[in-house]
Amino acid sequence: MSAPAVLPDPARIEQRKAEVIRLWGDWTAHNIHLKDGIYTIGPDREADKLRRIVQIVSDLSSKPIERLRVLDLGALEGGYAVELARRGAQVVAIEGRRANLEKILFVKDVLGLQNLQAVQDDVRNLQKLNLGSFDVILCLGLLYHLDFDGVISLCRQIFDSCDRMALFDTYVGIGNLQRFEANGKEYWGRVVREHLPQSSMEERLADKWASLDNTESLWITRNSLYNLLGDLGFTSAYECHLPTEVDKLADRLTFVAIKGTPQKLLAMPRTNEDPMGRLPKYSTTRISHKQRLLPIMQERATNLVPISWRRSLKGLMRRKDTKPR
Ligand SMILES: C[S@@+](CC[C@H](N)C(=O)[O-])C[C@H]1O[C@@H](n2cnc3c(N)ncnc32)[C@H](O)[C@@H]1O
């Protein structure tokens, strides 16, 4: 754990917060308790996604939080980075917009978080930044702000920089899908507008949650994201539903990808030579026959026939079957 900071007095925090807001605008999303009744936004905000992310990190990482090195990509106002740094992790937060970064720096300073490093840069430069490797990489609310090349290249850089686990919280494409190819592999996704093509860089940066420059983004499909994670070398990947996020939209999912050791099967060694199957463009909609309409109707119809009739009918059928021909 980092040494407890001596926090500035509340009046001073309020004064400095007002100054940050005057220069860089209001906090837009990340609510962080600073001291006493002072929050970056206010006391009555929900934090379901933060609860989910922190629980996943605690449950699935190979070390206690205070021994983790964490990278938070597209950190916005630093809510996730600050939470994990407060718990003692060594955290690097990358954020492309100065207006957001200044909010992280303010909170870091108020809370005295020496173990939080906040960098203003484009996440697509991750490799060039030479930040070393991380136990946990957070890619939350970010992937769907990149175009196809950006998605492929960032996921590759995440894999390369990851020692154990990457978390993706992202919209996934549905309907009106387009086909893309990278390294001879097929992926599907939906192209979504980010900024008007004629908008200036200033206008693009003013939209504090959006892509930095690309006017369109690729919302990769759920199946293609799994394929991509597998293609890169992650050994398993999961979706998280608990802790719950009750109001989460159906096309927004939380994925956990683990970089583990590929396992060889002993019972079926031949399988080890086969490449793992790729998920198709659309998932199957086939379901168990027990839940299909026709078998259910057949079962209901059977139940209408009295049991004694059913027995005699069965007896008749059996006799017919065993009769010598
Ligand atoms: C929708 S917000 C999500 C923020 C936060 N990770 C969360 O889950 O709440 C997207 C953030 O990513 C940042 N961002 C978008 N594209 C980026 C890029 N190429 N490089 C760095 N930051 C980027 C935006 O400035 C914004 O802060």
Side-chain angles (χ1 to χ4, degrees), residues 30 49 74 76 95-97 100 121-123 140-141 209-210 212:
H30 292 177
K49 188 172 137 204
L76 189 62
E95 169 53 46
R97 286 182 168 79
N100 295 334
D121 214 307
D122 189 323
V123 295
L140 314 173
W209 291 7
L212 291 188

Side-chain angles (χ1 to χ4, degrees), residues 17-291:
K17 183 181 151 192
E19 181 64 3
V20 172
I21 292 175
R22 190 182 69 74
L23 290 172
W24 305 107
D26 278 316
W27 266 259
T28 61
H30 292 177
N31 194 25
I32 302 171
H33 182 228
L34 299 172
K35 191 177 185 180
D36 301 341
I38 311 174
Y39 290 78
T40 52
I41 300 179
D44 305 321
R45 300 276 296 203
E46 290 191 352
D48 288 354
K49 188 172 137 204
L50 181 62
R51 174 165 37 204
R52 172 177 289 186
I53 299 304
V54 170
Q55 196 61 51
I56 296 173
V57 172
S58 164
D59 287 350
L60 297 183
S61 53
S62 46
K63 303 174 195 162
I65 292 183
E66 65 270 20
R67 288 193 13 230
L68 294 177
R69 197 156 184 263
V70 178
L71 176 64
D72 185 6
L73 296 167
L76 189 62
E77 295 148 354
Y80 300 88
V82 166
E83 178 71 24
L84 293 167
R86 267 178 145 170
R87 289 157 180 268
Q90 296 295 321
V91 183
V92 179
I94 303 182
E95 169 53 46
R97 286 182 168 79
R98 173 97 191 266
N100 295 334
L101 187 89
E102 289 293 336
K103 308 230 170 79
I104 308 179
L105 293 175
F106 162 74
V107 175
K108 169 187 154 98
D109 194 36
V110 167
L111 298 179
L113 296 170
Q114 310 284 348
N115 51 333
L116 169 61
Q117 182 191 351
V119 180
Q120 187 188 348
D121 214 307
D122 189 323
V123 295
R124 292 167 290 191
N125 296 331
L126 179 57
Q127 223 73 51
K128 283 191 229 145
L129 290 172
N130 273 327
L131 297 167
S133 66
F134 296 87
D135 302 295
V136 176
I137 301 186
L138 305 179
C139 180
L140 314 173
L142 175 69
L143 207 59
Y144 61 88
H145 288 305
L146 304 176
D147 60 16
F148 176 70
D149 290 343
V151 169
I152 299 291
S153 124
L154 182 67
C155 287
R156 176 169 300 285
Q157 295 182 58
I158 289 176
F159 178 79
D160 291 344
S161 311
C162 175
D163 286 333
R164 174 67 184 170
M165 178 167 75
L167 270 65
F168 299 86
D169 189 88
T170 188
Y171 286 111
V172 289
I174 50 169
N176 198 17
L177 301 180
Q178 289 184 34
R179 184 182 178 280
F180 295 85
E181 230 183 271
N183 306 312
K185 303 264 173 36
E186 172 184 272
Y187 304 96
W188 293 88
R190 183 170 189 152
V191 174
V192 172
R193 164 66 49 83
E194 286 271 351
H195 304 284
L196 291 172
Q198 65 273 24
S199 58
S200 64
M201 263 321 281
E202 208 181 0
E203 285 166 327
R204 292 179 197 187
L205 288 176
D207 187 351
K208 289 180 184 155
W209 291 7
S211 68
L212 291 188
D213 47 22
N214 44 301
T215 55
E216 292 183 333
S217 299
L218 190 267
W219 291 20
I220 194 166
T221 64
R222 173 180 173 274
N223 282 5
S224 284
L225 182 54
Y226 277 121
N227 286 338
L228 175 58
L229 296 173
D231 294 339
L232 291 170
F234 283 103
T235 46
S236 62
Y238 312 85
E239 269 162 60
C240 179
H241 298 282
L242 185 74
T244 56
E245 284 185 57
V246 175
D247 294 327
K248 206 170 177 92
L249 298 175
D251 55 351
R252 177 86 185 228
L253 303 170
T254 310
F255 298 87
V256 183
I258 304 283
K259 190 170 172 180
T261 311
Q263 297 297 307
K264 299 268 181 227
L265 299 185
L266 302 176
M268 297 282 286
R270 211 191 57 78
T271 311
N272 298 324
E273 287 146 37
D274 297 339
M276 188 166 55
R278 288 174 70 72
L279 292 172
K281 180 179 177 186
Y282 298 109
S283 288
T284 178
T285 50
R286 281 183 297 130
I287 55 169
S288 152
H289 76 280
K290 286 272 191 194
Q291 300 205 82

